[in-house]
Amino acid sequence: MIVHQQLPMSVNLASFDFLLIEMVHMARRLSEKQETALSNDEQMERGYTFLENIGFQVGRKLTERLLLTRNRIVESIDVMRFLCRELWPIVFRKQLDNLKTNRKGTFVITDNYFFWFSKMTAATGTEMKEYTTPYLYFPSGFIRGVMHTFGYPVHVIAQCPNLPACIFQVRFPAPSNVSTAESTPSNPPSESTPSVSQQNTGLSRTSGRSLSSTTLGPNNTPSPLNPVNSPHPESS
Amino acid sequence: MVKPRLVFLAIAGPKNEQLYLEVFDSVEDSSLSKYQYLSELSLDVIQDLIHDSERTSNDCFLGLLGVEEDISTYAFCSNTNVKFILAVRSSDLVVRESEIRQLLRRIYTIHTHAVCNPFSLELTPDTLKHSLYFNETLRQLNSDWSNQ
């Protein structure tokens, strides 16, 4: 049974911070080296997709290992529980701060002190957005990999309104056609909670919509979820 | 105590595609198709078992699936919907289910180790076949089982 460790793993943490930083620079260098006729933006996108793929592999393999000793996780609510209660403390060393959903298969994860960004500072405003966006690709790929291990091809969009708070929107594909998971990351999901893009660290704890109960269709794609919306009782 | 011999191990992925099929002990030469047929049958049974909403046990080990001719199949379904089907030659020798459960759990562990290999970039259906670690350890498990 894997226990959430509070030991100071300074060497691990420091090396991981450096690794993340260097990965972003490497992606940028790699995308610049390719001599194709694409525009600069598209090259950068390709480099960052590379980061997202790495995150995807890491997420998938990590969940494979973590699931080794668990009993059977059947429903999507159990998957969410695993993600929020078990995976998040293990990887990010703290609990999730907020989890919201709408009824149509999108949910929003908020972390007010995202651990991987805890050592970063930047000026506020548009500059910060430009600087932090490259670093968001790895975590969003990571979450996508985690959900993929359970068989849900979700789509993850990450936003960072204020360092070090992070918001991840995870969108499940519609049960009717599973192949709609490949939309471009710049389109905001139409059904998500409307105030996501304007949120800052002063997030309210209750969502505007009421919680719905879980119904799991026969083909294993979840529609509404029943997440935990109360603040977690134990703090890190 | 002599144990019944393992016949084959089949591993199927989340979409029921076949990832691995290893025959340990084949009596006739043309038995590969028979074993594939048996593994497909077991997959159907597993499908029924998983989607059965009245199942109370939360365990991954699905137990004895069925007996066909002289081969009895046991299955294990992991959380990532990877299914392990182990077939044992059923004879007069008694086999304890706890040992099969232990063996399947060990197989699941080495499968996870093989899949989490950081050098395997894309997980294709061939990944397990090419994995040295997986093949060697499986062979070791088989010889341990028959030599005990």
Side-chain angles (χ1 to χ4, degrees), chain A residues 55-121:
Chain A
F56 178 73
Q57 301 286 351
V58 172
R60 189 166 61 172
K61 292 176 182 170
L62 186 67
T63 37
E64 290 256 9
R65 281 207 191 271
L66 287 180
L67 289 178
L68 206 49
T69 47
R70 300 267 183 288
N71 274 336
R72 194 139 173 74
I73 297 180
V74 187
E75 299 189 10
S76 62
I77 172 178
D78 287 331
V79 172
M80 286 310 300
R81 206 173 281 150
F82 170 75
L83 180 71
C84 307
R85 292 245 173 97
E86 295 177 13
L87 187 91
W88 211 267
I90 290 175
V91 181
F92 302 115
R93 296 166 72 86
K94 64 181 288 292
Q95 300 269 3
L96 274 195
D97 288 316
N98 203 351
L99 172 68
K100 299 187 209 168
T101 188
N102 68 354
R103 295 166 193 265
K104 295 186 195 139
T106 310
F107 59 94
V108 180
I109 298 176
T110 309
D111 197 345
N112 280 333
Y113 186 74
F114 194 55
F115 194 70
W116 290 348
F117 293 169
S118 58
K119 306 282 187 314
M120 299 187 194
T121 58

Side-chain angles (χ1 to χ4, degrees), chain B residues 4-39:
Chain B
R5 300 180 58 81
L6 304 176
V7 178
F8 71 86
L9 167 75
I11 303 182
K15 299 198 182 67
N16 289 344
E17 73 268 16
Q18 193 193 74
L19 296 176
Y20 192 79
L21 175 64
E22 165 98 355
V23 180
F24 297 119
D25 167 45
S26 66
V27 178
E28 318 108 28
D29 283 332
S30 59
S31 44
L32 185 64
S33 51
K34 175 177 163 198
Y35 297 150
Q36 274 175 343
Y37 167 66
L38 276 181
S39 59

